[in-house]
Amino acid sequence: MAPQNAEATVGSLLRRYRLAAGLSQQELATGAAVSVRTIRDIEHERVDTPRAPSLRRLAEALGLAAPDRERLLAAVPGPRAEAAADRHLRAEVLGPLSVRTGGSAVDLGPAPQRDLLALLAIQPGRVVSRDEIVDVLWGDQPPKTCLSMVQTYVGRLRVRLDPDREPRSPGKVIRLAGDGYTLDLAADELDLARFSDLAERGTAEPYSAAAVDLLDRALRCWRGPVLAGASPRLRSHPAAVAAARQRVRVALAYADLAADLGLHAAAVARLQELAPDEPLHEGVAAKLMVALAGSGERAAALSLFTEVSRRLADDLGVEPSAELRDTHLRILRQEQVVRPAAPRPRQLPAAVPGFTGRTSHLERLDALLPVARSPQGTAVMITAIDGTAGVGKTALAVHWAHRVADRFPDGQLYVNLRGFDPAGPVPPDEAVRGFLDALHVPAQRMPVGLDAQAALYRSLLAGRRMLVVLDNARDADQVRPLLPGSPGCLVIVTSRDQLAGLVAAEGAHPVPLDLLGPAEAGNLLAGRLGADRIAAEPAAVAAIVEACARLPLALVIVAARAATCPGISLARLAEELREARGGLDAFSGTDPATDVRAVFSWSYRALSEATARLFRLLGLHPGADLTASAAASLAGMPVRQVRPLLAELVRARLLAEQAPGRFAFHDLLRAYAAELSAETDPDAERQAAPHRLLDHYLHTAYAADAQLNPHRDQITRTPARPSVTIEEVGDQGQALAWFGAEHATLLAIVECAASDGYDTHTWQMAWAMTTYLDRQGHWHDWLGVQDLALRAARRLGNRSDEADAHRGVARAYARVGRFVDAHVHYWRALDLFGEIGDRLGEANTHRNLAFMCGTQGHRRDALYHARKALDLYRAGGHRVGEANALNNVGWYHAQNGEFREALEYCAKALALLQEIDHRPGVAATLDSIGYAHHHLGNQCAAVGSFQRALEMFRAAGDRSHEAGTLTRLGDAHHAAGKLEQARNAWRQALVLLEELDLPEADEVRGKLAGLVG
């Protein structure tokens, strides 16, 4: 094994080398486990890159002995190595017998001669007696000259197996030994030997991705049954039977490991290769059913059970085994557990610059590390940092988390729970979903309900060493669903509450955080203002520290004021603080934050009148941050006039520009601004400002949605009020960027609109967010927004809006797999649309029903609804709908295996879509046409259609459809025998699918794995 301290040094180098070698994603994922065995494995892979000088440094860093260093260097062939490879002998028995030298097949002569070599090859290194050879070649009736014939066959084989072979002479490939012969081949020259080696190492490897990788590579050595096509006596030989049984054992072990790591599609690929060779093996069938169900092919899994049950009854007259029946029952109940491969999130926010002090607290936290990192512990380790607002809880937690992040190799999770935010705390289910997103749980696999989501979260963290930071918690109840359930994880919780319940029930270690000591407070100021300036006015520094109550937040604000006004003495700043003493009512009494109001009011009173007004109104914004355009709408001013005001607030440290163009409050400052607004601003202003803000987000969302879905049927918009700034969204890229940046804010805006009685804004905001939330896979958010929209539409009493809201809720339910609920809302929408005579609404609903039925595998139902939509669109003269429905009908014909009919409908769709310049529809139809051509065997036409669709999806920034088309393009290339083009297309598709966190990534991994070897 490589020295432990060398692994980090060589990890990235080995990864680059493996990438150059064209190894699989799974092989790349195990690159950290560097060993001599790994190097020996790599040398057997075909590499077409030039030798890299850095490989010698890699060998030296690994501490390899001289022979192993040379072996590594030889792994990347230079001209001499390639010449040697051309003479390399490779024999294969795991499938039809095959022998090749230099890439060319060797003619092994007549059948008995081939069988003799095969008999030796399935028993490598063993002496096979002449009697055994005679028995296998001729059975009970050997010819009289059988022994001389055996000698003749051996001599001919020696010549055919390369007479110039070095360093051994031809006579040593098949050696005479005792009363028989033995085949002398190295492990890399015989597929059976390589399989056995990989299988042995994979089963001995501890449970890990490395074990899956080794077993996967072992199974890829097989091309079919042992010695397929050879004589029955040879195929029934004990050595051949033993190899076949070992293959089954390895496949079953691989299936179990792959399922636990979420590699279901890869398991499907391996097991489907084996299943035809083991048609009555119930264990293989059971594992394949599990893999199919895990890949989302539940119907195929159930169909396989029916097929195997029939085969057992017909061929053996027996019922399925208990294992097979139990697997069938669990799939019916949807109890199969899908565990995605574990990502390593890195969610910690940036460390606080200039952090100082808190030495004793850091030492106390450090003392918890040995306990937290022990996998033998009985519970997760929890640290609860509590203290008043602005005391530096977050700064301490984040600073320490960065210090120890490397101790938790499985990653770090972070969430600001906004426990004391005026807009309300983050609900536990929202926080859990955020963590599940970070752990790469696809949206369609996200369970519904807090309990189920928390259970999945705990399962994903089981056995892992993860650091979890829960910042600004309101109470223990908000925290409990976010706690891991197994040892090895450490949770840091910060809160203004002491979290006594968490300490009592969950054994949290309390770390109370008080004010800074005088020396620490002085060091904080010195770190921001310079030691010389602090030393020049020690009395003023002491007065500032006292006026700020040694509260870090207050000290930072004062330091910012002093830094931006270097001409003002610290004594003058201290005097201003004394004059402005007061206190926030929310933090009155013994709370040391009483004096924070003095700091805030001092900074506030220094603002210009316009900036002070903006500061107050910003307290009415419900989101975590906002842009200059949103601030301008809130204030009812042009953006050009607001930008200087925002800059003034940032300079005063009353606002933070956390990202370019995005501004955020500290929650205490937000409370202060809202308090000032309630005291100062007239009621009319406090009502008009939120209305303008809603108009800003609603109309900008309209504009962004129009870029994402330009042919969508529009709704009647609520006019924007005067002085509302609508952001410019020039193209699809800008639209996606805007929605992505405003995602959380838009959700908060819709909730506020619903709770404050802005019902029209509520359902129209939901309408405008639909395309983005759907395409990006934020289906649980979509469901929540659509539920608010439905309630708002009902309150408004508008049946058309209610019908559309029912359809929106149904679409979201379908996306999260709640098909029964989706059906209820779809049919309610159809009833309402029918009652009011809205044929377009009916058509849209039937088209959505077609999509859902297709997703469920009900292809005939899907075709029915697609045809119904087509008829309604045509009757209403809706050309865009008609064109898209024509493609839908064609697609579902193709899904039903009716490819000629599919091409007929898609051709009509394409002509109409091109006429109306509906580019997304054209791209989708070209994809459908390519799919039909592919299944008709017209691969050239399929590739052309897919490539045209691909160009259009890329131009539109539609990454989800781009990934699907790339996958099908790879299928067409593969069918045409163009394996390298197929590999390139599938690799590109996999990158996109992994970035989008879509489950289809497993299927593509399986396709790629099937190409390797």
Side-chain angles (χ1 to χ4, degrees), residues 123 185 192 309 318 404 408 496 621 660 669 760 907 927 935:
Q123 304 175 84
L185 290 176
L192 176 59
S309 300
V318 298
V404 301
F408 297 89
R496 297 180 196 174
H621 190 282
L669 283 163
T760 300
D927 181 74
H935 285 276

Side-chain angles (χ1 to χ4, degrees), residues 93-94 115-128 132 136 190 192-193 195-196 222 225-227 232-247 249:
V93 296
L94 305 182
D115 287 352
L116 192 158
L117 179 62
L119 180 63
L120 298 177
I122 60 174
Q123 304 175 84
R126 176 179 175 268
V127 176
V128 181
E132 183 178 344
V136 170
L190 179 63
L192 176 59
F195 163 73
S196 299
W222 288 77
V226 181
L227 297 174
R233 283 190 297 271
L234 193 56
R235 286 186 281 113
S236 61
H237 189 279
V241 173
R245 289 175 177 170
Q246 186 183 16
R247 180 192 186 189
R249 289 194 298 272

Side-chain angles (χ1 to χ4, degrees), residues 725-805:
T725 299
I726 302 172
E727 295 193 35
E728 294 184 5
V729 185
D731 55 35
Q732 287 192 338
Q734 292 179 17
L736 283 172
W738 184 84
F739 271 120
E742 301 291 356
H743 183 164
T745 297
L746 290 170
L747 297 178
I749 287 289
V750 175
E751 289 183 7
C752 284
S755 62
D756 293 344
Y758 292 95
D759 290 331
T760 300
H761 282 82
T762 300
W763 77 262
Q764 291 188 355
M765 279 293 301
W767 182 93
M769 295 169 65
T770 289
T771 303
Y772 168 76
L773 293 176
D774 184 19
R775 290 185 183 178
Q776 293 296 306
H778 300 302
W779 297 315
H780 286 274
D781 289 340
W782 187 20
L783 183 57
V785 167
Q786 289 295 335
D787 183 64
L788 293 174
L790 178 57
R791 297 182 187 187
R794 283 171 172 165
R795 287 192 295 268
L796 289 168
N798 187 316
R799 298 172 76 194
S800 176
D801 297 343
E802 182 181 349
D804 202 60

